Amino acid sequence: MAALALLVVGGMALVNAISGEPENSGPSTAASPSDSGARTPASSNDASTSPAATVPLVIRVTGQPTNVVVRVADTGGKVLTNGTLNTGDTLKYDEAPLQVVAINGGSLHVVIYGKVQPRQPNGKRAVWLVKARNSGS
């Protein structure tokens, strides 16, 4: 069942990436890990310190465990994380652009370039896009 859910989320993320729809959506998040490992444990203070404003993406699971897909938001779409994140897990990504898709967006606390993103409805799929900072926004 979990594998099927991951396939559905991955397929939906791919369709959204091809259609370009997430680029114009509200809160967005997508990131790359600081190293080759997809899960990078981080302290809960990482998102609140001033250097966090330079970190493209920090995801913290504050609710129920949920399936999350994080991929590079380009034509290649390299998948950086694809699996179930548990309550308390924190991921930090140092690259952009990225796309994040969560089965239960309400379980995640998402910070993009130091800015806390609006809470998503519990139990609903959510997508965030982290744009590259080079474009000066």
Side-chain angles (χ1 to χ4, degrees), residues 10-50:
M12 292 167 68
L14 181 59
V15 168
N16 286 341
I18 292 171
S19 71
E21 180 185 330
E23 240 178 55
N24 297 327
S25 64
S28 21
T29 310
S32 338
S34 52
D35 57 42
S36 60
R39 291 184 183 199
T40 304
S43 74
S44 56
N45 292 336
D46 283 346
S48 60
T49 61
S50 66

Side-chain angles (χ1 to χ4, degrees), residues 85-103:
L85 302 182
N86 295 309
T87 306
D89 284 353
T90 298
L91 302 178
K92 185 194 293 187
Y93 298 88
D94 294 324
E95 298 174 19
L98 299 164
Q99 182 184 43
V100 177
V101 178
I103 294 283

